[in-house]
Amino acid sequence: MPQAGNTFTIGLTMAGAVSAGAYTAGVLDFLFAALAAQDERDPQENDLRVVLKAMSGTSAGGVCTALAVPALINGVRPFHPGEPSLPILHRLWVEELDFLGDDARPGLVSDSDLSGPHLLSVLNGEAIEAAAGRVLTGVEWTGSTYPFLARDLDLFVTCTNVSGVAYCIPFDSRRPAVGHLMANHAFVGHYRLTGLGTADIGSPWLDIWRDAGVPLELPQAATPHAPARIDFHGEGTGWDSLRRMSIATGAFPFGLAAKPVGATGSHLGVLDPAAGAMSCGGAWPLEISPEARPLPLRHSCSASFGFVGVDGGMCNNEPFEIVRYCLRASDPEHPWKLLQNPREPEKADRAVIMIDPFPEGPDGAISQTVEDADLAMVRVLAALKATLLNQARFKPEELVAAIDDTGRSRFLISPSRDGKHGAKALASGFLGGFGGFLDESLRAHDFALGRHNAQSFLKKHFNLAQVHRDFGKLPGGREVNGDMESPILRLPDRLAADIPQPEWPRLNIERIQDLLEATRHRVAKVSARAMREVWRGRLWQSVFRAFWTGVGRAKFTRWLERTIISELIARDQVRELSSAAQSGSRAGAEAEVRRAALAALMAPGPDLRTVDGLAAQTGLSAADVQQALQRKPEHPLFEIWQGAEHKGRATFCLRRYSPRVTGQLPGLRHLHAWALGGVTYDIAQSR
């Protein structure tokens, strides 16, 4: 069933990203600017009109999904290379969320959250809520509408329900309440904004399930001369619920504080007679009759309940299928079935665009053998977390559909820069995605890269066949792999001029050391609080406090410090190590060797390394490593200390991490093994 007229309908899915939400925000910034500029094109040409019907997101993607609404209400600014088109998204992701913060805003490693009765998270979750409150203050609607939005714009934000919702599978029709119980922990908050868009595009899937979502009500009689303010803190309103859900979806387990989430049976699809037999959630992305679906236990349409909500990415890090079902057309021959979205380049009339800053996913390597050590209890337990997460996110239906690589019903926007992709192209692509919170310059880069990649995607990849079954012959055709294709969203001239790739950001050592000092302060506060809560007895508290203060905390903070600095060095994000290469005093290749060797020395691991060990770790030749170790240090932090030979090989480490006592007495280097007794060497020593 084709769309009415020359309308191409899209849905957006935004994956989890932690601090790389800045990249997702940048993609949205350019994409919405391009959608808003469609009326600037030549009306004489047979251009498609692209309309957005639905958005879904989880974790950082869920935050972007939720904040896109107030950003649109506030107005899409005309595109300018140096200014954001959606200031709210830029302000939150680039300016507000930071490790250090300042006097006006708490940072993620500040301690303003530690005065409560319980330790809630490793990082300061209050900083997230405070930032959301600041950017949502003063959002006003002037009454303006957008032709590129569906009149009913559907938003889906996921989170993980820690306790879960119980369902029963009966095996005896005579006793329907007796059967196999299972719990669903994946919660989806469905919200519907009506009136901001004007395009009349519905969703048969949601109609079949009678799911109208939680209403987001716009103020009445808003005008440019008398704009109406949106209250995101109004108790019991859809706006307050959306704000709360946007925080809960990003509550990274342990890292950020879990959040209480309130719901009713209607959120789970239990029909509410008072609402005209419509629910405010609960549609399942399955082709089954809604009447045949199982209902949750112990919940009714009027019962309210609460649960602890954490990161939506725990269960579904890419809620792609929700938006895909939202776009599907109805099957006129069956009351509850849906048609597949057309995939062929000459037939596709709707598509889901996924924005995924980290598309790499799990390591695809298959183990050839199983060693005895692999069966050890500790190693199996350590691997189970990734196993359960990956299985929860595995989607066979989407995998099968993706086999058709010519399909135009699904697209992906992911980071790309200088031949690097995914995390390697992002300035925030380290520390499990938390790296961007170290400094605003890292997030600013990723936001700008998102705009750059979004423009490239629309110009080069978001195409259909030039001659289309329903749309006729489209303008702007060009040959792609032997076929003539045309862009689905053709950019006006002012948006088509190439956006330059942002400069790669680098931090200086002083900034890094300030960050590390603040982090050490947070670690000390959190660890002391954790010991008080976990170990209630005074004796146990004294024992573990003595151990942690004397040994554990120093080892942990050193491990954290070395991890952060080594990753920054390896990614060429330390200014002192890049300035020499840029000035031409060393060739670029030599600078890369130097960085690789220093990153290996800095990384947690053996106390002392050999040239052979470093060569094996970095993939460099022993001669290159030896030469890199002999260079004059660019900063005292990178001064290299040479220890005594071990099994005929010289040993090295950074002076900052040299063995105690003997590290300060060069004349006694050969005594370091005796002095410590626990010095470790890299694996190359066993050859």
Side-chain angles (χ1 to χ4, degrees):
M1 179 184 298
Q3 303 284 355
N6 276 18
T7 298
F8 191 94
T9 305
I10 62 170
L12 301 177
T13 291
M14 286 156 270
V18 198
S19 66
Y23 174 84
T24 302
V27 172
L28 291 179
D29 189 87
F30 185 85
L31 182 58
F32 280 116
L35 290 170
Q38 292 182 85
D39 290 334
E40 299 178 20
R41 301 173 304 189
D42 186 350
Q44 302 300 319
E45 298 206 51
N46 183 29
D47 275 313
L48 293 176
R49 174 165 288 281
V50 179
V51 174
L52 175 65
K53 168 58 182 169
M55 292 187 284
S56 69
T58 189
S59 190
V63 177
C64 288
T65 298
L67 283 187
V69 173
L72 288 168
I73 291 174
N74 231 29
V76 181
R77 308 294 192 270
F79 175 78
H80 186 278
E83 298 176 3
S85 297
L86 299 175
I88 285 179
L89 284 175
H90 182 273
R91 182 181 171 190
L92 178 81
W93 283 107
V94 177
E95 303 171 31
E96 293 282 355
L97 296 179
D98 198 82
F99 267 0
L100 289 182
D102 53 39
D103 293 338
R105 54 193 177 101
L108 291 171
V109 293
S110 63
D111 57 8
S112 62
D113 62 326
L114 298 179
S115 59
H118 301 289
L119 175 64
L120 301 178
S121 55
V122 173
L123 297 175
N124 186 351
E126 286 185 358
I128 305 290
E129 292 199 51
R134 288 191 296 270
V135 301
L136 292 175
T137 299
V139 175
E140 295 181 330
W141 187 45
T142 63
S144 60
T145 57
Y146 298 108
F148 65 83
L149 292 180
R151 187 178 64 85
D152 290 333
L153 178 65
D154 291 291
L155 313 170
F156 303 90
V157 182
T158 73
C159 78
T160 298
N161 179 343
V162 172
S163 55
V165 175
Y167 289 82
C168 178
I169 302 177
F171 284 84
D172 187 340
S173 60
R174 295 166 297 181
R175 295 185 299 165
V178 178
H180 174 69
L181 294 180
M182 60 176 60
N184 178 25
H185 294 269
F187 182 82
V188 179
H190 175 203
Y191 301 87
R192 176 170 287 176
L193 176 63
T194 300
L196 189 62
T198 61
D200 190 16
I201 297 177
S203 173
W205 171 60
L206 293 174
D207 292 341
I208 290 170
W209 285 82
R210 289 179 282 180
D211 180 354
V214 176
L216 300 175
E217 298 179 355
L218 291 168
Q220 299 296 316
T223 67
H225 299 291
R229 180 163 295 186
I230 308 292
D231 183 7
F232 288 91
H233 295 81
E235 190 70 27
T237 65
W239 296 111
D240 181 60
S241 174
L242 180 66
R243 178 185 62 83
R244 292 175 181 273
M245 182 62 74
S246 71
I247 298 172
T249 188
F252 194 90
F254 303 107
L256 295 169
K259 294 298 175 182
V261 178
T264 67
S266 184
H267 290 86
L268 305 177
V270 179
L271 299 180
D272 185 355
M278 297 293 286
S279 67
C280 60
W284 288 7
L286 296 173
E287 285 199 80
I288 62 171
S289 172
E291 285 71 21
R293 63 162 290 180
L295 294 177
L297 300 179
R298 297 185 296 277
H299 297 300
S300 67
C301 61
S302 60
S304 61
F305 63 98
F307 61 85
V308 175
V310 297
D311 189 352
M314 292 292 294
C315 292
N316 187 351
N317 202 48
E318 296 96 9
F320 179 93
E321 70 285 351
I322 297 174
V323 171
R324 183 170 69 85
Y325 268 76
C326 196
L327 298 187
R328 291 176 68 177
S330 60
D331 186 341
E333 298 182 2
H334 299 88
W336 51 264
K337 286 194 174 183
L338 301 168
L339 298 176
Q340 292 292 339
N341 294 330
R343 299 174 185 166
E344 298 85 352
E346 67 278 4
K347 297 179 182 178
D349 61 358
R350 65 199 76 194
V352 181
I353 301 173
M354 177 183 285
I355 306 170
D356 191 352
F358 299 121
E360 299 93 336
D363 184 2
I366 298 176
S367 177
Q368 300 298 316
T369 59
V370 176
E371 305 292 341
D372 289 343
D374 296 329
L375 303 176
M377 180 183 69
V378 174
R379 184 170 292 190
V380 172
L381 288 175
L384 273 178
K385 177 186 174 183
T387 300
L388 296 175
L389 278 177
N390 292 333
Q391 182 57 42
R393 298 170 179 178
F394 182 69
K395 303 168 186 175
E397 184 178 3
E398 304 303 333
L399 189 64
V400 171
I403 293 176
D404 179 12
D405 59 2
T406 64
R408 302 300 165 84
S409 64
R410 60 187 67 208
F411 294 89
L412 173 68
I413 303 177
S414 61
S416 178
R417 176 196 168 97
D418 296 334
K420 298 178 181 178
H421 303 280
K424 293 181 179 179
L426 291 172
S428 59
F430 62 105
L431 296 181
F434 279 89
F437 292 135
L438 292 178
D439 194 78
E440 182 176 323
S441 65
L442 308 183
R443 302 187 301 277
H445 167 275
D446 291 349
F447 185 90
L449 183 66
R451 300 177 97 198
H452 172 82
N453 287 166
Q455 184 195 54
S456 178
F457 164 76
L458 293 178
K459 291 171 66 174
K460 300 177 182 179
H461 306 291
F462 193 45
N463 302 327
L464 291 175
Q466 185 179 27
V467 179
H468 194 276
R469 179 189 64 181
D470 301 312
F471 304 141
K473 187 174 182 180
L474 301 172
R478 63 188 182 90
E479 186 174 338
V480 179
N481 297 327
D483 298 318
M484 292 301 296
E485 297 186 351
S486 293
I488 297 173
L489 180 56
R490 196 161 61 89
L491 302 177
D493 291 342
R494 66 181 182 85
L495 273 79
D498 288 342
I499 299 174
Q501 188 169 265
E503 182 180 352
W504 188 245
R506 298 176 176 91
L507 307 183
N508 58 42
I509 293 298
E510 286 71 24
R511 170 66 176 179
I512 296 171
Q513 290 176 332
D514 288 343
L515 288 162
L516 293 173
E517 180 58 34
T519 302
R520 283 191 287 267
H521 176 78
R522 175 76 184 183
V523 168
K525 293 271 189 176
V526 168
S527 60
R529 185 66 180 273
M531 280 188 286
R532 288 199 302 270
E533 293 193 21
V534 174
W535 306 104
R536 297 292 185 181
R538 290 187 178 181
L539 175 61
W540 283 112
Q541 280 191 18
S542 300
V543 170
F544 279 94
R545 185 182 295 113
F547 169 78
W548 176 254
T549 305
V551 180
R553 188 170 67 195
K555 285 187 174 295
F556 177 78
T557 53
R558 175 172 288 195
W559 170 85
L560 185 62
E561 173 182 291
R562 296 183 69 167
T563 298
I564 292 174
I565 299 178
S566 66
E567 291 212 43
L568 286 170
I569 293 172
R571 294 168 56 84
D572 188 18
Q573 290 182 259
V574 177
R575 185 168 296 140
E576 284 80 356
L577 292 176
S578 298
S579 59
Q582 293 174 349
S583 67
S585 60
R586 295 192 185 101
E590 292 178 340
E592 289 183 11
V593 170
R594 170 71 171 168
R595 285 196 299 272
L598 285 177
L601 274 178
M602 179 68 72
D607 297 314
L608 294 163
R609 322 286 179 108
T610 64
V611 170
D612 288 342
L614 290 170
Q617 185 177 347
T618 60
L620 301 171
S621 69
D624 284 342
V625 171
Q626 185 70 52
Q627 187 177 14
L629 295 179
Q630 293 173 351
R631 293 188 180 278
K632 181 180 178 180
E634 299 83 355
H635 184 276
L637 178 65
F638 307 129
E639 184 178 352
I640 294 173
W641 183 85
Q642 183 172 349
E645 289 189 356
H646 181 70
K647 296 184 178 180
R649 292 184 174 90
T651 60
F652 301 89
C653 69
L654 293 169
R655 179 173 291 279
R656 180 184 181 91
Y657 305 116
S658 61
R660 294 177 182 177
V661 181
T662 55
Q664 307 303 320
L665 301 171
L668 300 178
R669 288 176 182 171
H670 63 285
L671 298 177
H672 65 270
W674 172 83
L676 290 183
V679 175
T680 56
Y681 300 86
D682 59 58
I683 195 171
Q685 299 299 334
S686 63
R687 295 177 183 171

